[in-house]
Amino acid sequence: MPQNNLQALISASHLKNLNPQQVVLVDAGSGDEALERYKKQHLTGAVYIDLNRHLSAQNQNAALGGRHPLPDIIVFSKLLGNMGITPNTHIVVYDDKGAANAAARFWWVLTAMGHAKVQVLNVGLQAALKAGIKVSSSITAIIATHPYPVTGWQLKTVTFEEVENATVTKDKLIIDVRDAARYNGITEPIDPVAGCITGAVNFPFKDNLDEDGLFLSPLTLKEKYGPLFEKYTATDIIVHCGSGVTACHTLLAIAYAGLPIPALYIGSWSEWCRKKLL
């Protein structure tokens, strides 16, 4: 993976002091409501990207890849080119979900493509507004360039079969980042079956945040997740959620802590429950 001295997260105050000409802002949302919000109010100069249309492949059968499978890497490389993004572009991405949704997913996809200079705005749009960063309703003009050069995904992902094998070995650790009520099978608001993957441990992604919605400090996050790496390598740790989106929030927290990025189970519970329990 390319190395750089940028932290995975950036504060609103730091962003405010950056030269707008040297950074590309990306407003990451999900669905028509998010797009309408972007049209009404976004950080000045930000371009829009959508979780469902851009950061996921279209999938009619969640039992085969989950609700949000990865986009085709070649198609996505063309999209980045159309957004004017090159390997040298410094990108700051935000959402209005506390960086727990589309922003974290965009960070993961770019990082997995090998892009080094990408940061997520801590807390997201709310923090930017509080800091007085300028907003606009004007659609940002984009100067397109060549497709982003790619050779393949550079972060580890695992398949349903690999997770199934992991449930019967002590050499792997499966982390479920959903809320405890979903993990414990008490409620399931999205998928058809409640419960958890056999042997998975629960580290709710919301526990990566303090009471103000900010990510915990890198040191605190390292104290939280560091002990896991004393027993397992990053590739032996599998992180999942409902559909491979909020899992990226925890992977972002781990990267912010300066730890290696574990494997992502893209299909997550949305694929697992349909394939295993229906």
Side-chain angles (χ1 to χ4, degrees):
M1 294 295 298
Q3 299 296 314
N4 67 91
N5 58 2
L6 295 177
Q7 288 188 309
L9 287 156
I10 184 172
S11 68
S13 59
H14 187 184
L15 175 61
K16 191 175 183 179
N17 291 326
L18 290 181
N19 183 341
Q21 303 302 316
Q22 296 180 345
V23 63
V24 170
L25 294 174
V26 176
D27 186 312
S30 179
D32 293 340
E33 184 178 341
L35 179 58
E36 288 305 310
R37 191 269 306 151
Y38 168 80
K39 291 177 179 178
K40 293 176 181 178
Q41 184 186 65
H42 55 264
L43 301 189
T44 300
V47 295
Y48 182 75
I49 197 165
D50 188 81
L51 171 65
N52 299 311
R53 293 191 295 116
H54 304 129
L55 298 173
S56 309
Q58 299 304 307
N59 187 17
Q60 301 301 317
N61 185 358
L64 301 175
R67 287 183 275 108
H68 291 104
L70 287 181
D72 179 89
I73 195 169
I74 299 301
V75 172
F76 196 76
S77 73
K78 293 177 180 177
L79 173 66
L80 292 179
N82 289 335
M83 294 171 68
I85 292 173
T86 74
N88 294 319
T89 303
H90 180 187
I91 300 168
V92 174
V93 58
Y94 67 90
D95 59 29
D96 62 356
K97 306 297 183 186
N101 196 261
R105 173 70 169 239
F106 182 68
W107 166 85
W108 187 94
V109 170
L110 272 186
T111 303
M113 291 179 73
H115 192 84
K117 298 172 69 176
V118 55
Q119 296 178 287
V120 177
L121 179 59
N122 205 345
V123 181
L125 179 60
Q126 296 88 337
L129 296 175
K130 187 176 181 180
I133 296 177
K134 293 181 179 180
V135 296
S136 174
S137 60
S138 300
I139 304 301
T140 303
I142 300 174
I143 301 176
T145 186
H146 300 291
Y148 192 101
V150 293
T151 57
W153 300 115
Q154 297 182 36
L155 292 179
K156 183 174 175 58
T157 61
V158 292
T159 63
F160 169 86
E161 290 75 18
E162 288 174 299
V163 176
E164 191 173 39
N165 289 335
T167 65
V168 295
T169 177
K170 295 182 180 179
D171 298 330
K172 308 286 184 180
L173 175 66
I174 304 171
I175 295 176
D176 185 332
V177 310
R178 297 174 301 160
D179 291 343
R182 292 181 72 187
Y183 167 79
N184 289 317
I186 297 171
T187 183
E188 180 46 63
I190 304 174
D191 292 308
V193 183
C196 66
I197 295 175
T198 303
V201 296
N202 191 213
F203 282 75
F205 77 90
K206 290 182 180 178
D207 291 348
N208 296 324
L209 309 175
D210 65 17
E211 58 186 14
D212 296 318
L214 286 164
F215 276 77
L216 300 172
S217 71
L219 178 59
T220 301
L221 288 168
K222 190 169 186 178
E223 291 173 348
K224 176 183 176 71
Y225 291 108
L228 302 179
F229 292 85
E230 296 174 5
K231 185 174 182 180
Y232 303 95
T233 65
T235 55
D236 289 330
I237 300 173
I238 299 168
V239 179
H240 80 91
C241 55
S243 65
V245 178
T246 52
C248 296
H249 185 281
T250 288
L251 297 176
L252 173 63
I254 290 172
Y256 186 48
L259 296 166
I261 301 172
L264 172 62
Y265 175 28
I266 293 292
S268 287
W269 182 251
S270 60
E271 179 184 55
W272 181 270
C273 74
R274 288 170 172 84
K275 220 167 191 178
K276 193 79 171 176
L277 303 176
L278 289 182

